[in-house]
Amino acid sequence: MTTRTLLRSAMWLVPASVLVVILALSGCPGPKQAVATGDAASRVYIPPGQYDEFYGFFSGGFSGQVTVYGLPSGRLFKIIPVFSVNPENGYGYTPETQPLLMTSHGFIPWDDAHHPELSQTDGVPDGRWLFVNANNTPRVARIDLRTFETVEILEIPNSAGNHSSPFVTQNTEYVVAGTRFSVPIPQQDVPIRGENFRGTLNFIKVDPQSGRMELAFQILVPGYDYDLAHAGKGPSHGWVFFTCYNSEQAHTLLEVNASKRDKDFIAAVNWKKAEEYLAQGKYHEMTADYFHNIYDERKHMATSERLTKVRVLIPSECPGLIYYLPTPKSPHGVDVDPTGEYIVAGGKLATVIPVHSFSKMLKAIENRDFDTVIDGIPVLRYDAVLAGEVQNPGLGPLHTEFDGKGYAYTSCFVSSEIVKWKLGTWEVVDRIPTYYSIGHLLIPGGDSRKPWGKYVVALNKITKDRYLPTGPELVQSAQLIDITGEKMRLLLDFPTLGEPHYAQAIPAEILMKNSLKVYPLQENQHPYAVKTPEQARVERKGNEVHVYMTALRSHFRPDNIEGIQVGDRVYFHVTNLEQDWDIPHGFAILGANTAEILIMPGQTKTLVWEPKKPGVYPFYCTDFCSALHQEMQGYVRVSPRGTNVPLTYGTGQE
Amino acid sequence: MRALPRILTLGAILSLGLLFVLPLWRITLTAPQYPEGVVMLIWLNRLSGQLDLINGLNHYIGMRPIREENFPEFSFMPWLIGGLILLGILAVVVNRRWLYATWLALFAALTIVGLADFYRWGYEYGHNLDPNAPIKVPGMAYQPPLIGSKQLLNFTAYSYPDAGGCIAFGSFLLVAATFTGECIVARRRGKACTAHIVREAAPVA
C-alpha cells in the first residue's frame, strides 16, 4: 500500500467520523424521554425552612389512606389513616378509633380510598374538610383540616363499589356516592346471571357548621356501573352528573361484554327536584343496615351508631329527577368546567372527548328531545345535548381539570399524556408525555369555579425505569407540570404512596392559619383522662385494670405497677400532659398484641394489654421526646392468677 | 410649675395606671427546638405566659418551679404603684416643688429596689438547684439576665421591659425632665431652685 492510498483511505474517515459525532450528539434513535430543563429545579425548590405554596391531598388507593404533600416541592408531610389501620399511631387499634372502622359487616381494617374532595363554599375549596370514598365496602369519610385527622365515616347501604364518590355540590350541601358494582337491592340470594341488579345514587347531606354527614336519600337506578361524578356549578348548580358504563349489564367478562355499545350514559340528577319530592313525601322508606361513626375531638373517642332506615326515590315516580345523556364509549371521568356550562366526559374507549352543554341539555329536556325512556329515565338525544367533540385528543381519555383561563387538561391513559385543549373551539393546543400511564390529574382548585391554574400534576400508575428499581413492586408517581406558559413544561417527578387515584390541592395560606398545634388539656373530656400527675392511678374492676397514666417529659406516672395478674385485661389510658407544640409521647409494652399508641399533646389514648405469662414487663416512650427520652420507661410486674401481690403503683419511690 | 409642664406631669403620672393592665417585663427563651420562643410575662400582680412549659423544661436542670404564689411581691406591688399615683396627683394638685422631688425620689427608689429584687429572684432560681437534677453542668448557673440576653445551655434568655415597664420608665423620665426644665426656667428668672419656693407665676386654671 502506498502512502497515497493510505491517505485516500484516511480521507474517508473524515466524513465517517463526522457522522459518528453527529449521531453521538443527537443521541441514538429510539424512545425519547423528556427531561426537566432550564430553571425547572429552581421553580420547585423550596429553600430549607420555607413553605410550599399548596397543600396537595393524594388518595392512597389500596393503602386506604390520604397523603399530604407540599407543592411544588413534592415533599411528603403526613399520611392520614382513613380506611386502613395504622400501627404507627394506633389508628384502628385503640378502643378510641376502632369504632371509626365499624361497618354492618363488622370491623374492617382496610379499604381502597380513591377520591379526595375538598369542601367548597360558593364553588371554591374552603379548606374546612376533606372527603374521601372507600370503594370496596362503600363508605365516605370526612377529614377535619384543622387536625388532619379522620373524624367521621358513613357507610353507604344498598351499594357496592362506591366509586362515583365523594364529589361535593357548590356549597357542600351534599356529598354524592354512586354504585359502581350493581347488586341486588335489597341484597338477596339470587343467581348471578339474574337481571335484577340495580344501583343507587346517594346524596349525603353535610351540616354546614359541624360537617356532620347524614344519608339524605338514595335514587334507585338501573344496574349499570356508575363510575365517576361531579356537581354542577354556577348555572348548573342544583345538578350532579354521574358517568356510567356497562349499560350492557354484563355480569361476566366485562372487558368484552361491557364494551359492546357505542354509547353509555351520563346520568344528570336534579337534586333540588329531589328535595321537592322528599318534601312531598314521594319517597319509600327502605330498611337498610349501615354504620355511622363519629370521632369526638374533645372526648378523643369515636362512637358508632347502627342505622336501619333509608329514604329511596324511584325515577319512574319522580319525573324530572334524572336524565341520561348518551356518551361514547364506557365514559370514565365527568368534569364540569368553571363556568358550569360544559360537561366533559372521558370516554375511555372513545376516539373523541365529548363535551355536553348544560344549556342545551335544559333545552332538550324542555323540548322532550328524547331517544327513549329507561325505567322512567328519559334518554336525551346525543346531538341535542352535545356542545362539541375534541377530535384526536389522545388514546384513553380519562379525566379533565381546568385552569380557569379557558383551557382544559385531559389525561390519556393509553397514550400516556396530558392533552391541553381549548373550551369552545375544542382544538388541541398542546400535549406532554407522562411517565407512565396517567390516571387522574390535578390542578389546584381544578374542579372548582376558581382554579389556581399554576400547575397540573399527573398521577401515574406505572413507573418502570423512572427510579432506582426496588424489585417487582414499584411505586406510583406524580409529575408536576408548569401550565403558566403556552407550552406545558415538566418540572418535577416524585414517587407517591399507595396508588393515588384522584388528588386535590389548595393554597397553603387557606389551611395553615387554622392548623391546630395542641389539643387543649383543659378541654379533654376523655372518660379516662387525667389532667395532673397527682391524679395518676390504677384501679381494678374484676379482671379489668385501668391505668390512668400521664406522660410528661421525661417520665410516665405511674411507672412502676405491681399486682397485675395473668388473665387481666390491662387498659393503659395515657394522657399526654404536654401543651407544647410537636411534643407527642408514644407508649408500647413488651408482648402487647397490638400497635403502639402515639399521643398528641393534650390527648388521651388507650392501649389494651393482656399479659399471658408472669414476669416483669418494661414499657417505654416510643417517640423521641426529649434529652431524657431513653429514660422514659417503667415496669409492670405480672403475677400468676390469684396471687397475693397487692395492687401498688408509683413513680419515683425508691 | 406652669400650666403646660404641670399637665404633662399629670399625664405621665396617670399613665402609670396602665401598669394595672399591661405586663411590666418579658422574659423570652429561644432554642433551636423553640424558634417560636417561649415567653413569660411579669405583671404587677401576676405571671402569665407558658409557665408550665418553662417549669417542665427547667425540671431537667433542677430549677424550682416558678409559681405565682412564691412571690409575695404580687400582693403589695399594686398598692405601691397605686400609692405612687395618688402621691403624684397630690403633687400636681398642691404643685410644690419639694413634693415633685419627693415623688421622683420615691419612684427612683422603688425602681431600684424592684430591679434588685428581680435580680435576687433570678439569682435564687438560677443558683439554688436540686442536687438530684438529671442535667448537672459543673459551674453552670441559670440566672437570667437582669436586662439583655444571655446563653443558658441551648436556650438564649432575653429579659426586657414589656409595655408596662416601658411606660413606667417613660413616665419617670417625663416627670424628671419636666421638673428639671422648670427648675432651669425658674433659675433663669433669678429664683433659686429650691424646694421651699412654692408657687410659680402661672397658676393652673
Side-chain angles (χ1 to χ4, degrees), chain A residues 9 79 82 130 149 157 163 165 197 215 220 255 293 297 353 369 371 409 424 465-466 531 546 566 569 606 632:
Chain A
S9 341
I79 298 168
V82 185
L130 183 81
E149 298 286 347
H163 196 269
S165 181
F197 288 6
L215 182 52
L220 202 58
E255 65 171 322
N293 312 317
E297 189 183 298
I353 299 172
D369 208 344
D371 271 342
Y409 299 74
D465 57 350
R466 296 294 291 182
K531 296 186 188 177
H546 291 273
V566 171
R569 195 170 157 81
T606 302
M632 195 162 171

PDB file of all heavy atoms in Angstrom, chain A residues 9 79 82 130 149 157 163 165 197 215 220 255 293 297 353 369 371 409 424 465-466 531 546 566 569 606 632:
ATOM      1  N   SER A   9      -7.590   6.465   1.927  1.00  0.00           N
ATOM      2  CA  SER A   9      -8.483   5.771   2.861  1.00  0.00           C
ATOM      3  C   SER A   9      -8.752   6.634   4.088  1.00  0.00           C
ATOM      4  O   SER A   9      -9.873   6.687   4.614  1.00  0.00           O
ATOM      5  CB  SER A   9      -7.893   4.439   3.338  1.00  0.00           C
ATOM      6  OG  SER A   9      -6.891   3.999   2.489  1.00  0.00           O
ATOM      7  N   ILE A  79     -49.167  11.217  56.473  1.00  0.00           N
ATOM      8  CA  ILE A  79     -50.035  10.148  55.995  1.00  0.00           C
ATOM      9  C   ILE A  79     -51.224  10.131  56.945  1.00  0.00           C
ATOM     10  O   ILE A  79     -51.047   9.960  58.152  1.00  0.00           O
ATOM     11  CB  ILE A  79     -49.311   8.795  56.015  1.00  0.00           C
ATOM     12  CG1 ILE A  79     -48.099   8.838  55.076  1.00  0.00           C
ATOM     13  CG2 ILE A  79     -50.261   7.679  55.631  1.00  0.00           C
ATOM     14  CD1 ILE A  79     -47.160   7.660  55.230  1.00  0.00           C
ATOM     15  N   VAL A  82     -57.197   6.597  57.101  1.00  0.00           N
ATOM     16  CA  VAL A  82     -58.643   6.815  56.957  1.00  0.00           C
ATOM     17  C   VAL A  82     -59.371   5.478  57.059  1.00  0.00           C
ATOM     18  O   VAL A  82     -60.043   5.202  58.050  1.00  0.00           O
ATOM     19  CB  VAL A  82     -58.972   7.516  55.629  1.00  0.00           C
ATOM     20  CG1 VAL A  82     -60.464   7.842  55.568  1.00  0.00           C
ATOM     21  CG2 VAL A  82     -58.145   8.772  55.438  1.00  0.00           C
ATOM     22  N   LEU A 130     -61.979  17.517  54.179  1.00  0.00           N
ATOM     23  CA  LEU A 130     -61.636  16.720  53.005  1.00  0.00           C
ATOM     24  C   LEU A 130     -62.463  15.440  53.098  1.00  0.00           C
ATOM     25  O   LEU A 130     -62.440  14.764  54.126  1.00  0.00           O
ATOM     26  CB  LEU A 130     -60.142  16.393  53.001  1.00  0.00           C
ATOM     27  CG  LEU A 130     -59.653  15.628  51.777  1.00  0.00           C
ATOM     28  CD1 LEU A 130     -59.429  16.601  50.615  1.00  0.00           C
ATOM     29  CD2 LEU A 130     -58.348  14.889  52.069  1.00  0.00           C
ATOM     30  N   GLU A 149     -57.075  14.840  60.745  1.00  0.00           N
ATOM     31  CA  GLU A 149     -57.441  13.521  61.257  1.00  0.00           C
ATOM     32  C   GLU A 149     -58.813  13.137  60.713  1.00  0.00           C
ATOM     33  O   GLU A 149     -59.658  14.004  60.473  1.00  0.00           O
ATOM     34  CB  GLU A 149     -57.518  13.528  62.795  1.00  0.00           C
ATOM     35  CG  GLU A 149     -56.218  13.854  63.505  1.00  0.00           C
ATOM     36  CD  GLU A 149     -55.192  12.735  63.471  1.00  0.00           C
ATOM     37  OE1 GLU A 149     -55.559  11.603  63.100  1.00  0.00           O
ATOM     38  OE2 GLU A 149     -54.029  13.002  63.799  1.00  0.00           O
ATOM     39  N   PRO A 157     -75.421   2.150  52.484  1.00  0.00           N
ATOM     40  CA  PRO A 157     -76.141   0.888  52.299  1.00  0.00           C
ATOM     41  C   PRO A 157     -76.629   0.763  50.862  1.00  0.00           C
ATOM     42  O   PRO A 157     -76.615   1.739  50.104  1.00  0.00           O
ATOM     43  CB  PRO A 157     -77.321   1.027  53.266  1.00  0.00           C
ATOM     44  CG  PRO A 157     -77.594   2.507  53.292  1.00  0.00           C
ATOM     45  CD  PRO A 157     -76.265   3.194  53.090  1.00  0.00           C
ATOM     46  N   HIS A 163     -67.581   4.089  43.921  1.00  0.00           N
ATOM     47  CA  HIS A 163     -66.533   4.744  43.135  1.00  0.00           C
ATOM     48  C   HIS A 163     -66.895   6.177  42.748  1.00  0.00           C
ATOM     49  O   HIS A 163     -66.058   7.069  42.821  1.00  0.00           O
ATOM     50  CB  HIS A 163     -66.221   3.911  41.887  1.00  0.00           C
ATOM     51  CG  HIS A 163     -64.935   4.271  41.220  1.00  0.00           C
ATOM     52  ND1 HIS A 163     -64.850   5.207  40.218  1.00  0.00           N
ATOM     53  CD2 HIS A 163     -63.669   3.835  41.434  1.00  0.00           C
ATOM     54  CE1 HIS A 163     -63.588   5.318  39.841  1.00  0.00           C
ATOM     55  NE2 HIS A 163     -62.846   4.504  40.556  1.00  0.00           N
ATOM     56  N   SER A 165     -67.763   8.901  43.867  1.00  0.00           N
ATOM     57  CA  SER A 165     -67.884   9.490  45.192  1.00  0.00           C
ATOM     58  C   SER A 165     -66.520  10.042  45.569  1.00  0.00           C
ATOM     59  O   SER A 165     -65.503   9.557  45.058  1.00  0.00           O
ATOM     60  CB  SER A 165     -68.312   8.382  46.158  1.00  0.00           C
ATOM     61  OG  SER A 165     -68.467   8.855  47.459  1.00  0.00           O
ATOM     62  N   PHE A 197     -80.260  -6.746  38.981  1.00  0.00           N
ATOM     63  CA  PHE A 197     -79.288  -5.925  39.710  1.00  0.00           C
ATOM     64  C   PHE A 197     -79.640  -4.448  39.533  1.00  0.00           C
ATOM     65  O   PHE A 197     -80.133  -4.038  38.482  1.00  0.00           O
ATOM     66  CB  PHE A 197     -77.866  -6.155  39.180  1.00  0.00           C
ATOM     67  CG  PHE A 197     -77.282  -7.505  39.553  1.00  0.00           C
ATOM     68  CD1 PHE A 197     -78.044  -8.468  40.193  1.00  0.00           C
ATOM     69  CD2 PHE A 197     -75.950  -7.790  39.277  1.00  0.00           C
ATOM     70  CE1 PHE A 197     -77.494  -9.693  40.522  1.00  0.00           C
ATOM     71  CE2 PHE A 197     -75.401  -9.011  39.608  1.00  0.00           C
ATOM     72  CZ  PHE A 197     -76.167  -9.970  40.223  1.00  0.00           C
ATOM     73  N   LEU A 215     -77.118  10.455  55.511  1.00  0.00           N
ATOM     74  CA  LEU A 215     -77.582   9.964  54.203  1.00  0.00           C
ATOM     75  C   LEU A 215     -78.999  10.484  53.988  1.00  0.00           C
ATOM     76  O   LEU A 215     -79.940  10.004  54.601  1.00  0.00           O
ATOM     77  CB  LEU A 215     -77.526   8.438  54.168  1.00  0.00           C
ATOM     78  CG  LEU A 215     -77.939   7.786  52.849  1.00  0.00           C
ATOM     79  CD1 LEU A 215     -77.193   8.382  51.661  1.00  0.00           C
ATOM     80  CD2 LEU A 215     -77.725   6.289  52.900  1.00  0.00           C
ATOM     81  N   LEU A 220     -82.882   5.010  43.223  1.00  0.00           N
ATOM     82  CA  LEU A 220     -82.720   3.639  42.727  1.00  0.00           C
ATOM     83  C   LEU A 220     -82.641   3.682  41.205  1.00  0.00           C
ATOM     84  O   LEU A 220     -83.558   4.182  40.550  1.00  0.00           O
ATOM     85  CB  LEU A 220     -83.927   2.817  43.177  1.00  0.00           C
ATOM     86  CG  LEU A 220     -83.768   1.308  43.250  1.00  0.00           C
ATOM     87  CD1 LEU A 220     -82.643   0.911  44.186  1.00  0.00           C
ATOM     88  CD2 LEU A 220     -85.080   0.672  43.717  1.00  0.00           C
ATOM     89  N   GLU A 255     -64.694  -6.862  30.338  1.00  0.00           N
ATOM     90  CA  GLU A 255     -63.806  -6.158  29.407  1.00  0.00           C
ATOM     91  C   GLU A 255     -64.280  -6.295  27.976  1.00  0.00           C
ATOM     92  O   GLU A 255     -64.058  -5.421  27.155  1.00  0.00           O
ATOM     93  CB  GLU A 255     -62.343  -6.602  29.578  1.00  0.00           C
ATOM     94  CG  GLU A 255     -62.075  -8.040  29.218  1.00  0.00           C
ATOM     95  CD  GLU A 255     -60.574  -8.337  29.201  1.00  0.00           C
ATOM     96  OE1 GLU A 255     -59.811  -7.481  28.772  1.00  0.00           O
ATOM     97  OE2 GLU A 255     -60.177  -9.444  29.636  1.00  0.00           O
ATOM     98  N   ASN A 293     -70.171   6.498  61.974  1.00  0.00           N
ATOM     99  CA  ASN A 293     -69.137   6.559  63.014  1.00  0.00           C
ATOM    100  C   ASN A 293     -68.592   7.980  63.123  1.00  0.00           C
ATOM    101  O   ASN A 293     -68.190   8.562  62.119  1.00  0.00           O
ATOM    102  CB  ASN A 293     -67.999   5.608  62.677  1.00  0.00           C
ATOM    103  CG  ASN A 293     -68.506   4.221  62.294  1.00  0.00           C
ATOM    104  OD1 ASN A 293     -69.417   3.701  62.949  1.00  0.00           O
ATOM    105  ND2 ASN A 293     -67.955   3.647  61.250  1.00  0.00           N
ATOM    106  N   GLU A 297     -63.705  15.134  69.024  1.00  0.00           N
ATOM    107  CA  GLU A 297     -62.358  15.668  69.241  1.00  0.00           C
ATOM    108  C   GLU A 297     -62.094  15.959  70.717  1.00  0.00           C
ATOM    109  O   GLU A 297     -60.952  15.904  71.171  1.00  0.00           O
ATOM    110  CB  GLU A 297     -62.204  16.938  68.402  1.00  0.00           C
ATOM    111  CG  GLU A 297     -60.813  17.484  68.358  1.00  0.00           C
ATOM    112  CD  GLU A 297     -60.753  18.787  67.574  1.00  0.00           C
ATOM    113  OE1 GLU A 297     -61.066  18.770  66.380  1.00  0.00           O
ATOM    114  OE2 GLU A 297     -60.409  19.811  68.188  1.00  0.00           O
ATOM    115  N   ILE A 353     -63.235  13.394  22.714  1.00  0.00           N
ATOM    116  CA  ILE A 353     -63.716  13.768  24.046  1.00  0.00           C
ATOM    117  C   ILE A 353     -65.041  14.501  23.835  1.00  0.00           C
ATOM    118  O   ILE A 353     -65.058  15.608  23.299  1.00  0.00           O
ATOM    119  CB  ILE A 353     -62.721  14.691  24.776  1.00  0.00           C
ATOM    120  CG1 ILE A 353     -61.370  13.993  24.962  1.00  0.00           C
ATOM    121  CG2 ILE A 353     -63.283  15.118  26.125  1.00  0.00           C
ATOM    122  CD1 ILE A 353     -60.279  14.914  25.497  1.00  0.00           C
ATOM    123  N   ASP A 369     -86.769  16.167  23.869  1.00  0.00           N
ATOM    124  CA  ASP A 369     -85.983  15.613  22.771  1.00  0.00           C
ATOM    125  C   ASP A 369     -85.366  14.295  23.224  1.00  0.00           C
ATOM    126  O   ASP A 369     -84.158  14.202  23.476  1.00  0.00           O
ATOM    127  CB  ASP A 369     -84.893  16.642  22.406  1.00  0.00           C
ATOM    128  CG  ASP A 369     -84.502  16.531  20.945  1.00  0.00           C
ATOM    129  OD1 ASP A 369     -84.838  15.504  20.326  1.00  0.00           O
ATOM    130  OD2 ASP A 369     -83.856  17.471  20.444  1.00  0.00           O
ATOM    131  N   ASP A 371     -84.551  10.111  23.045  1.00  0.00           N
ATOM    132  CA  ASP A 371     -84.389   8.922  22.215  1.00  0.00           C
ATOM    133  C   ASP A 371     -85.334   7.832  22.686  1.00  0.00           C
ATOM    134  O   ASP A 371     -85.990   7.173  21.909  1.00  0.00           O
ATOM    135  CB  ASP A 371     -82.953   8.390  22.322  1.00  0.00           C
ATOM    136  CG  ASP A 371     -82.043   9.030  21.289  1.00  0.00           C
ATOM    137  OD1 ASP A 371     -82.564   9.581  20.317  1.00  0.00           O
ATOM    138  OD2 ASP A 371     -80.813   8.968  21.480  1.00  0.00           O
ATOM    139  N   TYR A 409     -57.509  20.292  30.541  1.00  0.00           N
ATOM    140  CA  TYR A 409     -56.371  19.372  30.504  1.00  0.00           C
ATOM    141  C   TYR A 409     -56.909  17.977  30.757  1.00  0.00           C
ATOM    142  O   TYR A 409     -57.481  17.715  31.810  1.00  0.00           O
ATOM    143  CB  TYR A 409     -55.339  19.745  31.588  1.00  0.00           C
ATOM    144  CG  TYR A 409     -54.776  21.130  31.403  1.00  0.00           C
ATOM    145  CD1 TYR A 409     -55.539  22.256  31.691  1.00  0.00           C
ATOM    146  CD2 TYR A 409     -53.480  21.327  30.938  1.00  0.00           C
ATOM    147  CE1 TYR A 409     -55.036  23.534  31.505  1.00  0.00           C
ATOM    148  CE2 TYR A 409     -52.957  22.595  30.752  1.00  0.00           C
ATOM    149  CZ  TYR A 409     -53.747  23.699  31.046  1.00  0.00           C
ATOM    150  OH  TYR A 409     -53.254  24.960  30.860  1.00  0.00           O
ATOM    151  N   GLY A 424     -64.707  25.517  23.941  1.00  0.00           N
ATOM    152  CA  GLY A 424     -65.426  26.329  22.963  1.00  0.00           C
ATOM    153  C   GLY A 424     -65.005  26.017  21.545  1.00  0.00           C
ATOM    154  O   GLY A 424     -65.842  25.770  20.683  1.00  0.00           O
ATOM    155  N   ASP A 465     -38.881   2.295  34.697  1.00  0.00           N
ATOM    156  CA  ASP A 465     -37.461   2.657  34.756  1.00  0.00           C
ATOM    157  C   ASP A 465     -37.231   4.068  35.293  1.00  0.00           C
ATOM    158  O   ASP A 465     -36.136   4.592  35.169  1.00  0.00           O
ATOM    159  CB  ASP A 465     -36.864   2.549  33.349  1.00  0.00           C
ATOM    160  CG  ASP A 465     -37.607   3.428  32.353  1.00  0.00           C
ATOM    161  OD1 ASP A 465     -38.684   3.950  32.709  1.00  0.00           O
ATOM    162  OD2 ASP A 465     -37.132   3.588  31.219  1.00  0.00           O
ATOM    163  N   ARG A 466     -38.255   4.686  35.885  1.00  0.00           N
ATOM    164  CA  ARG A 466     -38.090   6.097  36.260  1.00  0.00           C
ATOM    165  C   ARG A 466     -37.251   6.297  37.519  1.00  0.00           C
ATOM    166  O   ARG A 466     -36.692   7.363  37.726  1.00  0.00           O
ATOM    167  CB  ARG A 466     -39.458   6.754  36.471  1.00  0.00           C
ATOM    168  CG  ARG A 466     -40.293   6.815  35.222  1.00  0.00           C
ATOM    169  CD  ARG A 466     -39.697   7.713  34.187  1.00  0.00           C
ATOM    170  NE  ARG A 466     -39.749   9.126  34.556  1.00  0.00           N
ATOM    171  CZ  ARG A 466     -39.316  10.117  33.797  1.00  0.00           C
ATOM    172  NH1 ARG A 466     -38.785   9.849  32.615  1.00  0.00           N
ATOM    173  NH2 ARG A 466     -39.392  11.369  34.191  1.00  0.00           N
ATOM    174  N   LYS A 531     -55.611  14.949  84.261  1.00  0.00           N
ATOM    175  CA  LYS A 531     -55.080  16.232  83.805  1.00  0.00           C
ATOM    176  C   LYS A 531     -53.911  16.733  84.632  1.00  0.00           C
ATOM    177  O   LYS A 531     -53.272  17.711  84.263  1.00  0.00           O
ATOM    178  CB  LYS A 531     -56.206  17.262  83.787  1.00  0.00           C
ATOM    179  CG  LYS A 531     -57.270  16.865  82.765  1.00  0.00           C
ATOM    180  CD  LYS A 531     -58.339  17.894  82.574  1.00  0.00           C
ATOM    181  CE  LYS A 531     -59.429  17.316  81.693  1.00  0.00           C
ATOM    182  NZ  LYS A 531     -60.543  18.240  81.518  1.00  0.00           N
ATOM    183  N   HIS A 546     -57.546  -0.632  85.057  1.00  0.00           N
ATOM    184  CA  HIS A 546     -57.436   0.629  84.324  1.00  0.00           C
ATOM    185  C   HIS A 546     -56.287   1.458  84.896  1.00  0.00           C
ATOM    186  O   HIS A 546     -56.305   1.812  86.058  1.00  0.00           O
ATOM    187  CB  HIS A 546     -58.743   1.421  84.406  1.00  0.00           C
ATOM    188  CG  HIS A 546     -59.846   0.766  83.636  1.00  0.00           C
ATOM    189  ND1 HIS A 546     -60.050   0.987  82.295  1.00  0.00           N
ATOM    190  CD2 HIS A 546     -60.779  -0.141  84.019  1.00  0.00           C
ATOM    191  CE1 HIS A 546     -61.080   0.260  81.881  1.00  0.00           C
ATOM    192  NE2 HIS A 546     -61.531  -0.433  82.906  1.00  0.00           N
ATOM    193  N   VAL A 566     -51.923 -12.644  85.564  1.00  0.00           N
ATOM    194  CA  VAL A 566     -52.167 -13.285  84.264  1.00  0.00           C
ATOM    195  C   VAL A 566     -53.683 -13.418  84.100  1.00  0.00           C
ATOM    196  O   VAL A 566     -54.374 -13.816  85.032  1.00  0.00           O
ATOM    197  CB  VAL A 566     -51.482 -14.665  84.218  1.00  0.00           C
ATOM    198  CG1 VAL A 566     -51.915 -15.439  82.974  1.00  0.00           C
ATOM    199  CG2 VAL A 566     -49.963 -14.504  84.242  1.00  0.00           C
ATOM    200  N   ARG A 569     -57.074  -7.911  81.977  1.00  0.00           N
ATOM    201  CA  ARG A 569     -57.105  -7.081  80.765  1.00  0.00           C
ATOM    202  C   ARG A 569     -56.728  -5.680  81.240  1.00  0.00           C
ATOM    203  O   ARG A 569     -57.476  -5.039  81.981  1.00  0.00           O
ATOM    204  CB  ARG A 569     -58.517  -7.116  80.204  1.00  0.00           C
ATOM    205  CG  ARG A 569     -58.652  -6.624  78.789  1.00  0.00           C
ATOM    206  CD  ARG A 569     -60.073  -6.950  78.290  1.00  0.00           C
ATOM    207  NE  ARG A 569     -60.443  -6.066  77.203  1.00  0.00           N
ATOM    208  CZ  ARG A 569     -60.072  -6.240  75.934  1.00  0.00           C
ATOM    209  NH1 ARG A 569     -59.324  -7.269  75.599  1.00  0.00           N
ATOM    210  NH2 ARG A 569     -60.448  -5.391  74.994  1.00  0.00           N
ATOM    211  N   THR A 606     -55.647   4.889  74.449  1.00  0.00           N
ATOM    212  CA  THR A 606     -55.642   3.669  75.260  1.00  0.00           C
ATOM    213  C   THR A 606     -54.980   2.517  74.520  1.00  0.00           C
ATOM    214  O   THR A 606     -55.263   2.296  73.343  1.00  0.00           O
ATOM    215  CB  THR A 606     -57.094   3.287  75.621  1.00  0.00           C
ATOM    216  OG1 THR A 606     -57.687   4.387  76.316  1.00  0.00           O
ATOM    217  CG2 THR A 606     -57.136   2.058  76.494  1.00  0.00           C
ATOM    218  N   MET A 632     -37.372   7.459  79.669  1.00  0.00           N
ATOM    219  CA  MET A 632     -38.825   7.485  79.847  1.00  0.00           C
ATOM    220  C   MET A 632     -39.347   6.062  79.708  1.00  0.00           C
ATOM    221  O   MET A 632     -39.786   5.629  78.644  1.00  0.00           O
ATOM    222  CB  MET A 632     -39.457   8.424  78.823  1.00  0.00           C
ATOM    223  CG  MET A 632     -40.887   8.789  79.168  1.00  0.00           C
ATOM    224  SD  MET A 632     -41.405  10.240  78.273  1.00  0.00           S
ATOM    225  CE  MET A 632     -43.158  10.230  78.685  1.00  0.00           C
TER     226      MET A 632
END
